[in-house]
Amino acid sequence: MTGADGELGGGGEGGDVLRLTRPRVLMMVIAALLLAYALALAPVVTGRGGEGAASRAPTTAETGAVVPAGAENPPLQLAAELFPPAGKAFIGVMTDKGPYDFAAVDRFAAAARREPQVMLFGVGWESGTFDRVLFDRIKDRGMLPMLGWEPWDYQVDQAARKQKKLTVRQIDRVRSTQPRYRLSRIVDGEFDSYLRSWAEGVKSLGYPVAIRFAHEMNGDWYPWGEKANGNRPGEYVEAWRHVHDLFERAGATNVIWVWSPNARWSKTTGHLAELYPGDDYVDWVGTTGYYGTGAWSGYSPFDAIFGPTIAEIRTFSRRPLVVTETGASNAGGHKARWIRETFRALPKHRDVIGLIWFEVDKEMDWRIASSPAAATAFAQAVAAPRYDFRWSPDLVPRTDLDG
C-alpha cells in the first residue's frame, strides 16, 4: 500500500523494515547493475581446437566432486582475440635483407599503402645461431616474425650460382647434395644441441613466432627433400616430428609450425600426404608458387597455380592455409593483371588466412614496387576491409578453420 509520505510499505508492526527509502532504492539499483555485469562476463574458454567457443564447466552437483571452500566460482576468463580475425586475411612480406635492413619493407608498404602484418626471413643452420634482436626488430614494427628455418649450408648454393657455366638444374643438384644435412642425421639427434639453443631462445621471446621448417620438401633442390641427398621415404616426417617434439620438451610452445610444400607443377609431384607430419604437429599449412617461371611461364591465374595443391592438402589436413611465398614477374606485361585477379580469387578460398609477397629482384623482378602499375593494383586490392587489421603480440594464432 502507499503511505502518507508516498513510500511503499506494510501496515502494522514491521512496516518500517519493508519501506523502500531512497538509500535502499539506490542500493538495490547498484546490486542489479553488479548482477548484470557478472552475467555479461560469462567465462569463455579458448584453445587450439576451438578458439572463441563458449564453454561451461560441469557443476559440483553434476560431478559429485568435493570443492574446497572458496573455489566454487573460478576466476572469469575472457575470450582471446585471434590472428587473423574471423573473415580476415593477413598480408606478409619477404625481402632480400630481412630484419637486417627494413628499407625494402618500407618501399613495399609505401607501394601497397598498407603495413604488412607478417614478415618472413630465412636462416640456414650452418651459420644461423639464435639472435633475439632479429625477432624483436620485426615484432617492434608490428609484424609477426616468421622464420624460414633451413637445415643446410646456403653458401654451397651461393658458390654454385657463381659458376656461370652451370644450368639451373645443375645448380639444384649441387646445392641439394650436402651429406652433413641428411634427414637421418636430424632424426638421429646429431643437431639436438643446436636445436635446443634455438628452442630456448624462441621460448625466451615470450610472444608468438611462426617457423616454416624445411619448406618445399616435395622438390629435389634442397638437401632436406626426400628425392635428394641420399634421403629415404618417411624421413622428412620423422625429422619434422623430432624438431617439433624437442621444442615442446623445451617449453617453446609459442611456435606456430608452418608446413609449406611447393605448389604442384606436374601430375607427378603429388603425394603430399606422405610428407605431412600430421595436424598434431602443424598449425598452419602453406604452399609456394610464382607466376612467370617454370611450369607457369605462360599466363597462369591463381587457381591454376595453387588450386590443385590446395585441393590435395584438404584431403588430409584441416589447418588454416597460408600462401607462404608468391610473386609475379611482368612476363607478357601481365603483372598488374595477375595481382588484381589473384586478390579477386582469394576471398573464394575461405581457408586461406594469409599471403606473403616475395619483394625481391632475384632472377626475375617480383617486387610490387618495381612499377607504378603493379603497386597500384596491389594497393587497390589490399585496401579492402578484409586486410584492415593489425598484429600484436597479445593475439592468439588462429589454428582451426572453424574457429
Side-chain angles (χ1 to χ4, degrees):
M1 64 181 67
T2 303
D5 58 0
E7 295 179 351
L8 293 176
E13 293 184 3
D16 289 340
V17 176
L18 298 176
R19 286 185 180 176
L20 299 179
T21 62
R22 288 184 178 85
R24 287 174 180 158
V25 170
L26 180 60
M27 291 176 64
M28 293 178 67
V29 169
I30 293 172
L33 290 173
L34 289 173
L35 178 61
Y37 180 77
L39 292 174
L41 293 180
V44 178
V45 178
T46 62
R48 181 167 178 162
E51 293 93 333
S55 175
R56 180 184 68 82
T59 65
T60 54
E62 292 170 337
T63 63
V66 177
V67 181
E72 285 286 351
N73 297 312
L76 297 175
Q77 181 180 357
L78 300 181
E81 294 186 50
L82 298 177
F83 176 80
K88 303 275 191 176
F90 66 76
I91 298 299
V93 64
M94 184 178 188
T95 65
D96 56 346
K97 293 189 170 55
Y100 294 98
D101 185 343
F102 285 97
V105 177
D106 292 336
R107 288 191 292 270
F108 174 85
R113 288 176 281 193
R114 183 175 295 287
E115 295 290 334
Q117 299 103 334
V118 174
M119 183 175 185
L120 170 64
F121 70 104
V123 173
W125 284 18
E126 180 67 24
S127 57
T129 57
F130 177 79
D131 184 354
R132 181 188 180 109
V133 172
L134 301 179
F135 294 90
D136 284 346
R137 284 176 181 167
I138 297 172
K139 183 262 295 183
D140 292 344
R141 293 279 302 237
M143 297 181 289
L144 168 72
M146 182 183 290
L147 168 68
W149 210 23
E150 304 168 358
W152 70 328
D153 181 358
Y154 72 91
Q155 297 174 85
V156 173
D157 176 55
Q158 291 180 333
R161 291 178 183 277
K162 290 179 181 178
Q163 299 181 43
K164 302 298 184 181
K165 295 182 179 180
L166 295 181
T167 66
V168 172
R169 290 302 292 156
Q170 288 172 331
I171 292 173
D172 286 346
R173 283 193 289 273
V174 171
R175 71 193 289 193
S176 64
T177 305
Q178 299 190 32
R180 169 170 164 73
Y181 290 99
R182 282 184 179 143
L183 292 171
S184 60
R185 304 189 73 169
I186 299 174
V187 175
D188 291 342
E190 294 186 36
F191 294 93
D192 280 6
S193 177
Y194 175 76
L195 297 176
R196 274 191 290 270
S197 71
W198 271 84
E200 293 294 339
V202 169
K203 175 185 175 181
S204 72
L205 293 174
Y207 53 79
V209 170
I211 295 182
R212 183 185 68 158
F213 171 65
H215 64 296
E216 299 176 23
M217 76 300 294
N218 55 327
D220 61 1
W221 48 85
Y222 287 125
W224 54 81
E226 287 190 356
K227 299 176 182 177
N229 204 28
N231 297 320
R232 292 172 295 184
E235 288 183 336
Y236 180 84
V237 167
E238 291 180 47
W240 179 289
R241 291 178 177 177
H242 182 86
V243 173
H244 175 281
D245 289 347
L246 189 147
F247 270 65
E248 290 281 317
R249 289 193 298 271
T253 56
N254 55 321
V255 176
I256 307 164
W257 292 97
V258 184
W259 177 82
S260 178
N262 200 79
R264 291 179 58 177
W265 62 94
S266 73
K267 293 182 179 179
T268 63
T269 56
H271 311 295
L272 293 179
E274 298 172 5
L275 297 168
Y276 188 60
D279 280 359
D280 289 342
Y281 291 86
V282 174
D283 299 301
W284 291 348
V285 292
T287 183
T288 294
Y290 292 80
Y291 156 60
T293 185
W296 304 295
S297 297
Y299 188 77
S300 303
F302 178 88
D303 282 325
I305 297 173
F306 293 101
T309 304
I310 294 175
E312 184 177 358
I313 289 173
R314 285 294 163 243
T315 65
F316 55 80
S317 175
R318 291 296 299 163
R319 291 298 186 207
L321 191 141
V322 177
V323 178
T324 49
E325 273 185 58
T326 195
S329 74
N330 202 32
H334 295 305
K335 185 170 189 171
R337 172 192 171 190
W338 192 86
I339 291 170
R340 286 193 298 269
E341 292 184 356
T342 289
F343 280 94
R344 289 194 196 111
L346 278 174
K348 301 174 187 175
H349 297 274
R350 299 177 63 86
D351 54 342
V352 175
I353 63 168
L355 176 147
I356 299 175
W357 192 268
F358 190 65
E359 188 69 1
V360 178
D361 183 358
K362 177 186 176 184
E363 297 158 354
M364 295 185 180
D365 194 346
W366 309 103
R367 299 170 301 161
I368 65 165
S370 64
S371 75
T376 298
F378 199 95
Q380 290 175 344
V382 300
R386 187 169 189 257
Y387 309 102
D388 187 16
F389 60 98
R390 296 299 300 158
W391 175 81
S392 78
D394 298 327
L395 299 180
V396 175
R398 179 181 297 280
T399 59
D400 193 323
L401 288 177
D402 301 321

